[in-house]
Amino acid sequence: MTRDHHHNSSIRRRARRVIASLAVIGGVAVTGAAVGDTAGAAPATTSTVIADAADRAVTALERWRQTQNPADYVWFVRHRDHVASMTESDIDLASGTLRNEWAQVAIPKQHALLNAVSQLGVPYRSLTSKPGVGFDCSGLTIWAFGEAGVSLPRISRDQINDAEGVDRDDAEAGDLVYYPGHVSIYLGADTMVHSPNSGNHVEVRALPDRSLRFGDATPAIGPVDAATGVAADSLMDRALAISE
């Protein structure tokens, strides 16, 4: 991992903490456990603690993709599962729900969703796609997938139209979720990560109760890692064998 990457990650973490502190002063809690738009709403989280953990998971993933060392893959899996567990706790999901969903998808989807989760607490900003600074909805998805090596169009409608359509029952973590004017990333278990609208922050929350379109932005990649061509299942088997 390069010194510049670690430096940039540190800057992003500090920026999120400053944003969170300002929001708390203004009466909006963006750290801690679950938050919701209104009383009685489904739990949501903008936790910068989870964001920092996701950033560490991304760093571990990028290291493994460089080294191809199964031991580094084990380290990444531990970080990824920790992020999933903390997210489950914050939004009141059963233990293991997201962890199992994330483990079953191709590496580029894991990379993209972890990138997005690493930006929890970052404010919505129209026409912006800058980590640690601000995103609009499609700005978050284009950055999250771009950092994972997947190019998306800038407009939310174009993103879902270019993706391979997926039935809701077949949707998996790392797929796009769209309704008119808004796009997000599916996390599994009827949850999503997105940059909602002005005055709010990147968050994880339940899917809205409305008609939705799902799409796979990585259909050409298939069930293997785009960088290595190695099936994720076989990598997991190798990695876990080493860790035992």
Side-chain angles (χ1 to χ4, degrees):
M1 199 58 52
T2 65
R3 180 176 301 174
D4 287 343
H5 175 85
H6 288 297
H7 178 67
N8 291 337
S9 295
S10 178
I11 290 174
R12 290 199 297 269
R13 286 194 290 269
R14 287 198 298 271
R16 284 195 298 268
R17 292 190 183 104
V18 170
I19 291 165
S21 298
L22 292 174
V24 169
I25 292 171
V28 180
V30 298
T31 59
V35 297
D37 290 335
T38 58
T45 185
T46 54
S47 169
T48 56
V49 176
I50 295 176
D52 286 348
D55 194 59
R56 290 190 291 271
V58 169
T59 298
L61 171 57
E62 292 173 346
R63 175 177 175 78
W64 166 70
R65 295 186 80 164
Q66 288 182 351
T67 67
Q68 290 303 293
N69 185 331
D72 287 332
Y73 187 74
V74 170
W75 190 239
F76 156 63
V77 167
R78 288 173 177 167
H79 279 286
R80 181 199 66 204
D81 289 353
H82 181 54
V83 176
S85 294
M86 289 196 298
T87 306
E88 291 161 358
S89 177
D90 259 23
I91 61 174
D92 295 340
L93 286 179
S95 177
T97 303
L98 294 180
R99 186 168 68 249
N100 294 335
E101 296 258 8
W102 297 2
Q104 293 174 14
V105 302
I107 292 295
K109 288 187 176 182
Q110 295 183 41
H111 198 168
L113 72 86
L114 286 167
N115 284 333
V117 173
S118 79
Q119 299 303 302
L120 291 179
V122 173
Y124 177 95
R125 288 191 180 178
S126 180
L127 303 178
T128 305
S129 183
K130 293 183 179 180
V133 176
F135 296 96
D136 58 16
C137 68
S138 59
L140 179 63
T141 52
I142 196 172
W143 175 81
F145 277 94
E147 290 292 297
V150 179
S151 178
L152 298 182
R154 183 61 176 88
I155 306 301
S156 60
R157 181 181 62 253
D158 294 338
Q159 289 183 7
I160 196 66
N161 285 340
D162 280 8
E164 183 177 282
V166 177
D167 290 337
R168 181 165 182 159
D169 289 344
D170 296 325
E172 62 183 21
D175 284 340
L176 294 174
V177 186
Y178 174 85
Y179 58 81
H182 191 71
V183 69
S184 60
I185 298 176
Y186 188 53
L187 295 181
D190 289 332
T191 64
M192 64 182 182
V193 57
H194 70 148
S195 186
N197 46 43
S198 181
N200 287 302
H201 302 76
V202 175
E203 64 177 7
V204 172
R205 69 160 51 250
L207 294 175
D209 184 15
R210 61 180 299 165
S211 178
L212 300 168
R213 290 174 63 188
F214 293 81
D216 182 356
T218 65
I221 295 173
V224 299
D225 181 356
T228 65
V230 179
D233 287 345
S234 64
L235 285 167
M236 177 65 83
D237 291 343
R238 288 166 51 202
L240 292 182
I242 288 175
S243 67
E244 292 175 351

